[in-house]
């Protein structure tokens, strides 16, 4: 490890690795640190990602794809099933990944592009001088060291400390955190070509339960509830209740984690610092899916860092381009999705059922997005309110 780099990237998830690859292949001297001893482990993800958004970054490979979904079966509280095509079902439907391998492959590609990757290495603070972040204090095998850099990238995920250390407000209100538990289960009888989502205030208040096929007879079976709706029942208990539907299934692995489901942050940069991925709260406010947006923001941060360093301007002003690109690519949609979420969250089970009833006999694959919306509004006038918010 050297004492100075162009870029220090804190966190070796999809956001960090894409940023490291993008910037290293354009000639920057990059260090990516990951606090865990192994990239990609433990997995805190249901591993679903849209096909197109993934293929923008990497050619799909059977080594890290467990299943390919044609679409999603969405169940309303009374069990009515609405079938959606992959394109219509949102950013988590398409491939089901093996993230233990996928994350490692991304880090490997960053290393091949010239980035230095260090595992079991944590950032413990930031270095400052003249109003700029100038590097990070890191700890590796018990040894602390100050490493200088022109830019620090905070890619440290949902629990990001880097943003807070830099003075950026990354706090989330309770309603904007989805608390999740997931079991990798075997002996699950499931159509391997469809992701399943279950809605209902009894099943998952302020969230949903999911089944994502992982090949053979395995599936990621999980459930998330809104942070302000948990009451006395823990999310774990909700999932235990839900899996009673699969009496023969066995648990192979458990995952616990939080997902930000918030409106876009006002500020994601500071002098000498850029936040990306979950650290910048870029996951989808409705589904909580964040892999695709982590990669998109990582790419933008890599490209903008290259320009900023060559222009000699790593100030907030010099990073304006990053915020603009992310707003166009992620923020605009997330803002609209957040407004829709705020309304959908207030729907009663009866209203969710009524939405499903109005769609159940329609071949959604044959409808355009506008056609689908028209059908929904026709049968559910309350949705008009949500749509007006959407187009504000
Ligand atoms: P992460 O993947 O979280 O990577 C951050 C990395 O930073 C971690 O490896 C961490 O160890 C490291 N780190 C943290 N602090 C430090 C430090 N101080 N020093 C060094 N390293 C540090 N998204 C989807 O798209 N599809 C899904 O199906 C899906 N399902 C989910 C299910 C659950 C239960 C949860 C919790 C999340 C799910 N998500 C899903 C969200 C998705 O996992 C994240 O959006 C995605 O991983 C974000 O990528 P990232 O690179 O920003 O952060």
């Amino acid at each position: 490890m050297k004492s100075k780099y162009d870029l220090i990237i804190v966190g070796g998830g999809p956001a960090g690795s894409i940023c490291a690859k993008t910037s290293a292949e354009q000639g920057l001297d990059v260090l990516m640190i990951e606090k865990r001893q192994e990239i990609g482990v433990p997995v805190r993800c249901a591993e679903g990602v849209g096909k197109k958004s993934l293929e923008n970054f990497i050619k799909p490979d059977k080594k890290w794809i467990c299943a390919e979904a044609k679409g999603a079966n969405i169940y309303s509280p009374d069990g009515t099933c609405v079938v959606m095509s992959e394109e219509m079902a949102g950013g988590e439907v398409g491939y089901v990944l093996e993230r233990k391998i996928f994350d490692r492959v991304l880090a490997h590609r960053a290393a091949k592009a010239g980035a230095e990757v260090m595992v079991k290495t944590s950032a413990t603070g930031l270095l400052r001088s003249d109003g700029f972040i100038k590097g990070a204090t890191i700890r590796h095998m018990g040894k602390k060291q100050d490493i200088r850099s022109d830019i620090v990238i905070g890619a440290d995920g949902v629990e990001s400390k880097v943003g807070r250390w830099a003075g950026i407000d990354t706090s989330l209100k309770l309603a904007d955190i989805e608390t999740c538990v997931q079991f990798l289960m075997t002996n699950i009888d499931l159509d391997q070509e469809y992701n399943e989502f279950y809605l209902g205030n009894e099943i998952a208040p302020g969230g949903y339960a999911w089944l994502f096929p992982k090949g053979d007879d395995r599936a990621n079976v999980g459930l998330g509830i809104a942070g302000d709706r948990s009451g006395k029942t823990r999310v774990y208990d909700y999932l235990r209740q839900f899996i009673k539907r699969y009496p023969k299934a066995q648990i192979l692995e458990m995952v616990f984690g939080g997902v930000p489901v918030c409106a876009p942050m006002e500020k994601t940069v500071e002098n000498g610092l850029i936040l990306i991925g979950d650290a910048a709260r870029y996951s989808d406010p409705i589904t909580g899916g964040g892999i695709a947006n982590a990669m998109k923001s990582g790419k933008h941060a890599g490209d903008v860092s290259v320009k900023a360093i060559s222009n000699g301007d790593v100030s907030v002003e010099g990073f304006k381009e990053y915020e603009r690109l992310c707003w166009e690519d992620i923020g605009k949609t997330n803002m609209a999705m957040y407004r829709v979420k705020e309304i959908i969250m207030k729907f009663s089970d009866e209203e969710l059922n009524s939405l499903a009833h109005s769609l159940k006999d329609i071949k959604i694959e044959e409808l355009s997005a506008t056609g689908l919306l028209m059908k929904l509004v026709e049968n559910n006038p309350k949705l008009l309110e949500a749509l007006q918010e959407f187009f504000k």
Side-chain angles (χ1 to χ4, degrees):
M1 210 165 12
K2 293 178 282 196
S3 59
K4 161 85 184 35
Y5 292 83
D6 294 325
L7 223 60
I8 296 176
I9 300 170
V10 181
S17 287
I18 293 289
C19 183
K21 175 177 179 286
T22 306
S23 49
E25 63 193 6
Q26 294 178 68
L28 292 194
D29 197 8
V30 178
L31 171 68
M32 180 171 86
I33 60 170
E34 168 52 55
K35 72 176 178 187
R36 299 175 186 152
Q37 63 194 30
E38 227 177 301
I39 300 264
V41 178
V43 174
R44 281 194 191 148
C45 191
E47 304 173 293
V49 66
K51 287 182 185 164
K52 274 194 197 129
S53 40
L54 179 110
E55 287 163 14
N56 284 336
F57 292 95
I58 185 164
K59 209 166 139 243
D61 187 331
K62 285 206 167 71
K63 283 186 199 128
W64 42 261
I65 292 177
C66 296
E68 262 187 63
K70 275 191 199 155
N73 294 334
I74 303 169
Y75 293 90
S76 70
D78 67 2
T80 307
C81 179
V82 174
V83 185
M84 292 233 168
S85 65
E86 185 235 322
E87 293 77 24
M88 303 285 267
E92 285 173 292
V93 179
Y95 295 120
V96 183
L97 307 175
E98 188 63 75
R99 278 198 62 181
K100 283 174 193 163
I101 304 175
F102 176 72
D103 282 26
R104 200 177 289 205
V105 167
L106 292 186
H108 184 193
R109 284 158 46 105
K112 276 179 96 166
E116 201 173 320
V117 179
M118 295 275 302
V119 293
K120 217 166 166 50
T121 308
S122 306
T124 59
L126 297 173
L127 307 178
R128 281 188 175 74
S129 146
D130 303 328
F132 277 74
I133 309 299
K134 288 280 191 186
T137 303
I138 66 163
R139 194 177 51 223
H140 174 67
M141 304 299 285
K143 196 174 156 227
K144 271 198 171 181
Q145 198 176 335
D146 286 348
I147 312 273
R148 288 179 303 115
S149 66
D150 293 326
I151 302 173
V152 172
I153 305 281
D156 50 338
V158 63
E159 289 149 27
S160 177
K161 288 191 182 140
V162 170
R164 243 186 303 141
W165 291 335
I168 299 176
D169 182 11
T170 56
S171 60
L172 292 163
K173 43 180 193 173
L174 262 183
D176 288 346
I177 309 169
E178 204 73 9
T179 316
C180 306
V181 183
Q182 176 180 276
F183 302 151
L184 170 62
M185 301 192 81
T186 187
N187 282 345
I188 281 267
D189 186 15
L190 173 74
D191 182 342
Q192 291 285 324
E193 291 185 324
Y194 285 86
N195 289 10
E196 294 191 349
F197 297 87
Y198 292 80
L199 307 177
N201 290 300
E202 299 283 315
I203 296 172
Y208 60 90
W210 65 83
L211 271 89
F212 289 5
K214 283 212 61 171
D216 302 326
D217 60 354
R218 298 173 312 146
N220 283 330
V221 185
L223 192 149
I225 60 178
D228 63 340
R229 303 273 292 274
S230 53
K232 280 189 188 138
T233 316
R234 297 171 307 167
V235 62
Y236 177 80
D237 302 321
Y238 277 106
L239 184 55
R240 279 278 173 200
Q241 180 62 29
F242 180 75
I243 63 168
K244 285 185 181 157
R245 297 162 187 235
Y246 311 98
K248 289 191 193 138
Q250 299 284 327
I251 300 171
L252 300 179
E253 204 173 302
M254 285 190 188
V255 169
F256 299 84
V259 177
V261 283
C262 58
M265 280 173 32
E266 276 178 18
K267 197 176 180 203
T268 53
V269 299
E270 198 30 275
N271 291 332
L273 181 130
I274 300 177
L275 296 181
I276 61 178
D278 273 11
R281 314 305 187 212
Y282 277 137
S283 46
D284 182 312
I286 293 186
T287 65
I291 301 170
N293 289 345
M295 295 196 289
K296 284 181 189 170
S297 56
K299 166 92 171 74
H300 292 321
D303 287 335
V304 168
S305 296
V306 172
K307 274 194 207 152
I309 289 177
S310 97
N311 295 339
D313 182 4
V314 296
S315 68
V316 166
E317 204 46 42
F319 295 150
K320 277 267 175 299
E321 177 70 355
Y322 170 71
E323 293 206 309
R324 189 191 65 75
L325 287 167
C326 284
W327 174 252
E328 289 301 323
D329 214 7
I330 306 169
K332 256 190 207 172
T333 312
N334 276 8
M335 191 70 236
M337 289 301 173
Y338 184 72
R339 289 189 178 128
V340 173
K341 179 196 100 164
E342 295 259 276
I343 291 165
I344 295 178
M345 283 303 146
K346 293 184 196 127
F347 278 14
S348 64
D349 280 3
E350 290 68 36
E351 284 163 332
L352 290 170
N353 287 333
S354 141
L355 269 181
H357 295 166
S358 58
L359 290 177
K360 74 174 171 24
D361 297 325
I362 295 171
K363 287 206 165 136
I364 293 176
E365 295 91 318
E366 290 170 13
L367 278 181
S368 66
T370 327
L372 173 66
L373 289 179
M374 298 294 287
K375 247 316 159 249
L376 279 167
V377 171
E378 213 175 277
N379 295 292
N380 309 276
K382 198 175 167 189
L383 247 174
L384 249 186
E385 198 188 330
L387 292 174
Q388 278 161 356
E389 287 291 329
F390 194 88
F391 290 112
K392 250 186 192 171

